[in-house]
Amino acid sequence: MQAASGVLTPALQVQLTALIRALGLLEAERTPCGQPLSPSAAHAILELGRGEALSLGDLGSRLRLEKSTVSRLVGQLEARGWVDRRRAQHDGRLLRLSLTEAGQQMAERVATSRATFFAQLYDRIPPHRRAAVLETLELLVEAVDATR
Amino acid sequence: MQAASGVLTPALQVQLTALIRALGLLEAERTPCGQPLSPSAAHAILELGRGEALSLGDLGSRLRLEKSTVSRLVGQLEARGWVDRRRAQHDGRLLRLSLTEAGQQMAERVATSRATFFAQLYDRIPPHRRAAVLETLELLVEAVDATR
DNA sequence: GAAGATTGAGGCTTCAATCTTC
DNA sequence: GAAGATTGAAGCCTCAATCTTC
């Protein structure tokens, strides 16, 4: 990736991801990162990679997916050895999801792939328009969310 | 809908739709229009409502969906009495898709619902930012398409 | 009974293979 | 053989119903 991208690339990534989730369009991303993962699996691992242990509901609301979907999704990630799925001690109803060693490595790979993808996208936007694009995407996400 | 929306609303609609299709996110729109149609069915009817008869491939590329998906989709629309599916006279391989009377009425209803939805969205964007939002969407679609 | 998670049923999509017509 | 359309197999998602724990 070119050095041209600069520090605003992460912001584009965040904003576009937010837009996608806001619109409820998560599913169709067609894994642009080139990793052997479904789009939602990539998002889940990325979210879990943030560090804090999440419950199924937490993960679901962040990904904007149904809890049933997330349940099956996590089941696959666990089967692949990337996620650790434990019951919370203080409350037997909640699940305490976290990444395994292998899961964290995958999270890093996904993060890198994503960064590259978004950097390419960013490079294709005229430099003097970039700031406006980011600001505007934020407005859109807000507007879409408000419409619900 | 408020009069405030003005003439730029159609542009927002066009741009956002283009973005959605460009990202390949068609499927998940969750029929925001409130019509008893799946998102892709709504898009298909809208596209067919433009007037010209399309082949399966034409419709597929406009909706950015696989030909197999479109084949089944059109099958449903035909079963519901909205689409007329004929073989082209000059080339027996091609299909000549068009809307029936009922299909055209549905197309109008969908168009109206969509217009309302996008008008609401547009109204939620600060007036002095609207032009920037549209520009952004345009730039994004271009950038995304260029990434493929 | 409420909250959190899981399971069952059905819809939409993609990819691959197949059929038909040129 | 190539182009256009259809069919088969499998993945991901939503909604609804069910099970478990508080």
Side-chain angles (χ1 to χ4, degrees):
Chain A
M1 119 184 45
Q2 317 309 334
S5 308
V7 296
L8 284 178
T9 300
L12 203 214
Q13 184 168 331
V14 169
Q15 295 304 334
L16 229 193
T17 298
L19 208 214
I20 290 169
R21 291 187 184 176
L23 286 169
L25 301 177
L26 225 195
E27 56 182 329
E29 266 174 78
R30 294 293 136 217
T31 182
C33 315
Q35 289 297 326
L37 283 174
S38 72
S40 47
H43 278 266
I45 283 190
L46 240 23
E47 211 54 59
L48 253 16
R50 287 180 157 298
E52 48 175 329
L54 302 174
S55 69
L56 251 181
D58 291 335
L59 190 54
S61 57
R62 299 197 189 196
L63 265 35
R64 306 211 186 197
L65 289 174
E66 275 296 312
K67 53 186 178 179
S68 59
T69 303
V70 180
S71 176
R72 281 180 260 249
L73 172 57
V74 169
Q76 292 172 25
L77 297 179
E78 183 186 33
R80 294 225 233 175
W82 292 328
V83 166
D84 203 33
R85 178 198 230 159
R86 295 177 186 168
R87 286 287 168 183
Q89 300 107 326
H90 64 297
D91 189 334
R93 293 174 300 179
L94 277 69
L95 232 37
R96 194 177 172 293
L97 305 171
S98 61
L99 254 31
T100 60
E101 272 298 319
Q104 290 186 35
Q105 287 178 25
M106 181 51 81
E108 284 170 35
R109 290 179 52 190
V110 172
T112 301
S113 299
R114 269 177 77 76
T116 300
F117 173 80
F118 280 100
Q120 289 178 354
L121 193 57
Y122 197 69
D123 284 340
R124 289 193 167 78
I125 298 172
H128 63 292
R129 300 292 189 68
R130 293 173 183 166
V133 168
L134 302 185
E135 263 183 78
T136 290
L137 277 175
E138 207 169 341
L139 289 176
L140 268 179
V141 175
E142 286 172 25
V144 170
D145 277 338
T147 308
R148 313 217 134 181
Chain B
M1 118 183 44
Q2 316 310 334
S5 308
V7 297
L8 284 177
T9 299
L12 205 214
Q13 182 167 331
V14 169
Q15 295 304 334
L16 229 193
T17 297
L19 209 215
I20 290 170
R21 290 186 185 177
L23 287 168
L25 301 177
L26 225 195
E27 54 183 333
E29 266 174 78
R30 292 296 135 215
T31 182
C33 316
Q35 290 298 327
L37 283 175
S38 73
S40 48
H43 278 266
I45 283 190
L46 239 23
E47 212 54 59
L48 252 18
R50 286 178 160 296
E52 49 175 330
L54 302 174
S55 70
L56 251 181
D58 291 335
L59 190 53
S61 58
R62 300 198 187 194
L63 265 33
R64 304 210 187 200
L65 289 174
E66 276 296 314
K67 52 185 178 179
S68 58
T69 303
V70 180
S71 176
R72 280 180 260 250
L73 172 56
V74 169
Q76 292 173 24
L77 297 180
E78 183 185 33
R80 292 226 235 174
W82 292 327
V83 167
D84 202 33
R85 179 198 230 158
R86 297 177 185 168
R87 286 287 167 183
Q89 301 108 323
H90 64 297
D91 190 335
R93 293 174 300 179
L94 277 70
L95 232 36
R96 193 176 173 294
L97 305 171
S98 61
L99 254 30
T100 60
E101 272 296 318
Q104 291 188 35
Q105 287 177 26
M106 180 53 79
E108 284 171 35
R109 290 178 53 190
V110 171
T112 302
S113 300
R114 270 177 77 77
T116 301
F117 173 80
F118 280 101
Q120 289 177 355
L121 191 57
Y122 197 68
D123 283 341
R124 289 194 167 76
I125 298 171
H128 63 292
R129 298 290 191 72
R130 292 175 183 165
V133 168
L134 301 185
E135 242 187 290
T136 288
L137 287 173
E138 209 170 340
L139 288 174
L140 276 176
V141 174
E142 286 171 25
V144 170
D145 277 338
T147 307
R148 315 215 134 178

